[in-house]
Structure formats: structure tokens, C-alpha cells
Amino acid sequence: MTNRITIDLGTTNTKVTLWNEEKPNLKKFKTPKIINNDQTDFDLKRLWANIVKTIKSFNLDLLNNVTQISIASFGESGILLDAKTHEEVGECIAWFDERSQVIADSVSPQDKHIIYKIAGLHVHSHYSACKIAWLLKYNKSFLPPDSNRKYVWLGVPDYLVFKLTGKFASEYTLASRTLCLDLSRKDWSSDVKKIMHIENISFPKLYKSGEGIGNIVGELKNYLAADCVVSIAGHDHMVGSNSAKLEENQMLDSTGTTEAMMCLVNYPDLSKHAEQNALANGIYTDGEHYTRFTAMPSAGSTIEWFMNSFNLNENEFMDLMQQAMNDYQNHSLLDSKVLIIPHFNGSGAPYKSTSSEGLIYGINRETTKEELVFGLFLGLTFEFVKAYESLFNNVALNQIKVIGPAIKDPLWLQLKADLLRLPVNAIDIDQAVSAGAYLLTQGKHDLYTKISNYKPTTDTEQINYLRKEYDIYKTLYNFLKETHL
């Protein structure tokens, strides 16, 4: 019997799971950060120490039979190492940190177009290349700039591989989030490095998702099997889709603090339309398909804001949502005018902007909390539909698979089915990303505990109401576009 460990590096929590034939044993801790006003860095030293401590805390007999460690992670963030000494230089900027937008804004429209044709990504502060360029230009560790000094860029999971094996390595789905991967060649792009003025940076050798990179060295070596190998599962959303068994003609709706939409295709979309709408292309975990991907900043974070603002605990909020669901189905809410535009963390596709602001429309002194909850889920769903229409209308989809916390929100799921006229399957997988990483190590496990199906409504009154409200949403969206986006 062999066991495996998966590490799921999340923005909020890091989850370490030991998988054996009986059941997975999960332990988690807060992903350590260093926050200074509006700037956030990941604390890699504490992260590594916490991972080592957590792995050592598992049963030793089980650890001795661990033959593989596989790592899934958020993308974009990483650390620079001196190419000669391998010492860490500068900080690890959080993926969502906006300080490198000054770099993105300095790239000419012509160069942005060239980069999109190569990397399939719109130049944005979130991507690694902008963070690297910012570090070289503004971080005191690199001042004065020295173009002769060489550095190696390691994404956060690459850094963990280096700590575990002593090897420099990365993986294709995560490389797709750097801005420096040539999608057609499936290799690092010297042209992008030149445009971004990061020519003195090298990137690691690329491995396929789940492919063995090297054996354990250092302090953990004596705890694990002698032949224990380390691999990178990949970018968390892509890895999670494996646990949902995503196929062509299906869309993954990955929910959490934010919400991501992804489908599998046979070629990247590098068209002018895709570029204008900031569609993110990438390489999938199977190494054969490409991904079309976009993320919306408003999802769980907006629901959390709503609950805090109206002093609702989770049970109270779920009761209100269930009542709204019932009243939507029996038509009691079909005269509600309440609509929330959920741009509390900026807007998603097609007009991504960090400066857009939220809006609550249609309230009066008679407005109830139930109507507000209904208006919240309407707004979240309309935001989803807007992105879908902009980026995925040319893909023949027959199903949406939802993973993450939204599977517990039947109103949200039913509204998506009704508006997109597609069946929605809510897949209840315990820790979808960890499960996906486990499957990518060739592990066998019965992961599904429950699948809930939501079919599009055939009720004419509901359909007409949703169309009318969507027209109002688009009018309000255009107002925000003119004034804030």
C-alpha cells in the first residue's frame, strides 16, 4: 500500500492532505502573509516552516509509505533567487496585489498586442512578468539596477519544489499565468522578456502536470518513503476541474472568494475580440487541451460583505436564500425591482476594472431582506452571464459544472440554469483542488458524494422577468462603464 500527500496552496488557507486507502486526512493552516497598508506579500519562510511542521504531524507509519507529494496552487506569485547563490531576493508579491499596475500601464498598446499573440494573456498587474519588472525597478534589494546580475523566477509551488528536492522546475498550467509562456511553442518567450525588460531573468524547466520532478532531500527525507517523488499538479482552478471530470463542451464554474469560468478547447483564442475582452488562454493539465478562462472578483467576497452589512449569520442567510428560492418559484418575487451590481472588488469581463464600484438599485422603505438577497444573487448571476456572452458564446457548451461553496446556494444555481438555458450540475467534492491533485498522481478514490442537477425553467413568466431584469442590469452596467470602468 502506498500513500500520497497533496498540498493545496490557497490565498486564504493552505491544505495538506495525506491520502491512503481508508480516507483522506486533511490538515490546514492560514496561508501566511505580510500586510503593509494596501500591499500584501506571501511569507514564504513561514509557509515552508508550516508545511514541514504539518507533514511531520501525520502518523509516522502512514508517512513512511508516502511515495508522492503533489502541489496545486494559485498562480502568478513567486520569488526571485540569485542565479549563483540561490538566495531569495525581494518579496513574494500576492497575486491580487495591484502595485505592479504601474508596469502594466507603461507597456505600449502595440507591445500588449504582441504579448497577447504570444502568451494569450492581457497585460495586467496580476501576472508574474509585471511583478518581476516592478521588483527589478522599485524594490530596494535590486537598487541600483544591475542588468548583469542574473535571477531565477520561481512561482510559489516551484519554490516549494526547490525546498523539497533542490531542483528548479515549473509546470505548464502555472507557467500559463506568468505572461512569459509562448503558447504555440509551449516554452518560455524571450520576446516577452525583452518587452518587459526582464531579460536577466531565467525560468525553470517545464514539467507536465503530475509528472515526477525529483526525490525528497533535506529534513523530510527520513519521514517519507525512500523513493518519494515530488510533482506539481498545477493551477488550482485547472486542478479542481479534474475532480469534476471536466470534458469538452462543458464549462467549469469554480466558486470561492472569487468566481472563475473555464472551458477546454483544442486551440487558444488569440483573436482581437478575445484580446479586447481580456480572455485568458492557457495550457490544460492534460498537456493536449487549451483553457479559456476568466475570473470575476465578486462572488463569495460579496456574499460575505452582505452578511456582515446586515448582521446575518450563515444560518440566517441560508434561510433567507431558501425563502427567496421558494418565492421565485411561486412567482411571489417576480415584481421585485431590487438589483445589486456586485462590483465591490471591481468588475469582471468584458470590462475588467479595479475602479468600478458596486450599486444597489430599486430599494425603498418597503424593501425586505429577502428581496435584497434575491437582488444579490440576480446581480451575481447577471455578472456571470455578461462574461459568458462576451467570451464563451462561440463555444458549443451543453453543461455547467459547479464546484466550491456555491453548490450550497440553490437559488444561485437555478438562476444560472434559467438565464443561460443550460443544465447546471453542482458537484459536491470535499476539497476539490486537493482531490484533483490526488487524481493527477494516478490515485484512485470515489470523490463524488452528491451531484445536484438544476434544469432551465420552462416557466414563461420567470423567463420574461429575468430577461427584463437583465435589460435593467445592462443599462446599469453601461452607466458604470461610462463613469467608473
Side-chain angles (χ1 to χ4, degrees):
M1 180 186 72
T2 62
N3 301 327
R4 293 173 174 85
I5 286 176
T6 59
I7 301 172
D8 171 13
L9 295 169
T11 304
T12 304
N13 294 305
T14 294
K15 300 153 190 171
V16 182
T17 306
L18 195 156
W19 299 80
N20 61 73
E21 290 185 354
E22 295 180 5
K23 64 176 183 178
N25 184 356
L26 180 147
K27 299 184 179 184
K28 67 180 181 178
F29 56 84
K30 292 289 184 184
T31 302
K33 303 179 186 72
I34 301 169
I35 300 174
N36 184 13
N37 296 321
D38 61 344
Q39 296 185 352
T40 303
D41 303 322
F42 290 113
D43 188 337
L44 295 188
K45 286 186 171 61
R46 280 204 298 147
L47 175 66
W48 169 244
N50 288 345
I51 286 174
V52 171
K53 179 181 177 181
T54 303
I55 290 175
K56 287 181 177 180
S57 70
F58 288 111
N59 179 281
L60 186 58
D61 290 336
L62 295 176
L63 283 177
N64 288 160
N65 288 305
V66 169
T67 59
Q68 187 164 4
I69 295 178
S70 187
I71 305 166
S73 175
F74 48 75
E76 297 94 30
S77 293
I79 189 75
L80 287 169
L81 270 61
D82 184 284
K84 290 183 178 179
T85 67
H86 296 176
E87 292 180 356
E88 299 161 24
V89 187
E91 60 262 40
C92 176
I93 301 174
W95 64 266
F96 53 84
D97 186 289
E98 301 288 347
R99 79 188 78 165
S100 61
Q101 188 60 40
V102 63
I103 298 293
D105 292 341
S106 71
V107 180
S108 71
Q110 181 181 0
D111 283 340
K112 286 181 179 178
H113 176 68
I114 292 171
I115 291 174
Y116 194 84
K117 287 295 185 180
I118 295 171
L121 298 174
H122 178 73
V123 177
H124 191 280
S125 63
H126 288 178
Y127 297 126
S128 307
C130 291
K131 299 183 189 305
I132 295 168
W134 186 92
L135 287 166
L136 294 179
K137 188 172 183 177
Y138 295 107
N139 184 278
K140 62 182 181 181
S141 301
F142 301 90
L143 298 176
D146 182 0
S147 60
N148 293 318
R149 190 177 178 189
K150 308 299 182 184
Y151 302 95
V152 179
W153 173 260
L154 297 181
V156 176
D158 310 345
Y159 171 81
L160 293 183
V161 168
F162 174 65
K163 299 293 285 186
L164 286 164
T165 69
K167 293 187 175 184
F168 290 156
S170 192
E171 178 274 342
Y172 286 101
T173 67
L174 287 157
S176 298
R177 306 295 292 175
T178 62
L179 207 67
C180 293
L181 183 71
D182 186 323
L183 289 183
S184 62
R185 293 173 46 246
K186 296 186 177 180
D187 201 359
W188 301 110
S189 170
S190 58
D191 291 334
V192 173
K193 291 204 298 181
K194 184 176 181 180
I195 291 172
M196 298 300 296
H197 306 293
I198 57 172
E199 294 165 281
N200 59 329
I201 306 300
S202 61
F203 292 87
K205 179 181 177 180
L206 289 164
Y207 289 77
K208 294 180 181 179
S209 177
E211 182 181 0
I213 296 168
N215 295 113
I216 299 289
V217 298
E219 59 184 306
L220 287 175
K221 183 176 181 179
N222 295 329
Y223 288 81
L224 308 170
D227 59 347
C228 181
V229 67
V230 177
S231 65
I232 302 175
H235 188 252
D236 48 14
H237 290 297
M238 287 62 174
V239 172
S241 73
N242 280 273
S243 62
K245 301 176 184 176
L246 188 69
E247 301 175 359
E248 287 187 37
N249 304 119
Q250 298 176 347
M251 173 181 283
L252 178 76
D253 178 13
S254 180
T255 63
T257 303
T258 59
E259 184 172 20
M261 307 164 66
M262 186 184 81
C263 65
L264 305 183
V265 290
N266 293 314
Y267 57 89
D269 184 356
L270 305 177
S271 65
K272 183 177 180 181
H273 175 80
E275 181 181 357
Q276 289 174 337
N277 291 292
L279 176 68
N281 294 275
I283 296 171
Y284 190 51
T285 56
D286 62 7
E288 299 176 2
H289 288 92
Y290 291 87
T291 56
R292 295 185 187 173
F293 178 91
T294 191
M296 288 158 288
S298 297
S301 60
T302 308
I303 294 171
E304 183 180 20
W305 164 85
F306 187 95
M307 292 171 61
N308 291 337
S309 297
F310 293 95
N311 196 27
L312 298 170
N313 61 38
E314 185 173 352
N315 288 335
E316 291 169 333
F317 180 80
M318 295 299 288
D319 287 344
L320 282 169
M321 189 218 22
Q322 187 59 56
Q323 186 59 48
M325 173 75 167
N326 296 339
D327 287 347
Y328 166 64
Q329 291 180 327
N330 67 28
H331 296 186
S332 300
L333 276 173
L334 297 192
D335 59 351
S336 176
K337 301 290 191 297
V338 179
L339 180 57
I340 295 177
I341 308 294
H343 293 183
F344 296 92
N345 298 311
S347 60
Y351 303 106
K352 290 191 174 184
S353 171
T354 57
S355 62
S356 185
E357 296 180 340
L359 186 92
I360 302 178
Y361 170 82
I363 62 173
N364 56 45
R365 286 180 295 179
E366 306 300 321
T367 299
T368 65
K369 288 182 181 178
E370 180 192 340
E371 287 181 285
L372 286 167
V373 168
F374 186 59
L376 170 67
F377 282 112
L378 272 180
L380 288 169
T381 308
F382 289 151
E383 194 78 0
F384 185 90
V385 173
K386 183 75 171 175
Y388 172 88
E389 291 178 342
S390 302
L391 301 175
F392 299 98
N393 254 352
N394 63 340
V395 182
L397 298 174
N398 56 36
Q399 183 182 145
I400 298 173
K401 288 183 171 180
V402 183
I403 59 175
I407 66 168
K408 299 179 181 178
D409 300 327
L411 175 61
W412 200 359
L413 300 169
Q414 187 61 57
L415 288 172
K416 286 177 179 177
D418 293 349
L419 276 156
L420 291 174
R421 315 305 303 158
L422 287 170
V424 172
N425 288 343
I427 303 175
D428 188 354
I429 307 170
D430 189 23
Q431 303 299 331
V433 175
S434 297
Y438 174 72
L439 288 174
L440 285 165
T441 68
Q442 305 302 312
K444 306 293 183 184
H445 227 276
D446 183 14
L447 297 173
Y448 288 176
T449 57
K450 182 181 179 183
I451 302 177
S452 301
N453 301 306
Y454 296 81
K455 296 180 180 180
T457 183
T458 58
D459 188 304
T460 303
E461 287 189 55
Q462 288 179 333
I463 293 170
N464 290 337
Y465 171 78
L466 292 175
R467 287 174 177 168
K468 180 183 67 175
E469 289 299 300
Y470 189 41
D471 286 340
I472 295 172
Y473 162 84
K474 288 186 286 188
T475 300
L476 296 172
Y477 189 98
N478 288 334
F479 165 76
L480 289 173
K481 178 187 171 185
E482 296 299 324
T483 57
H484 292 79
L485 297 187

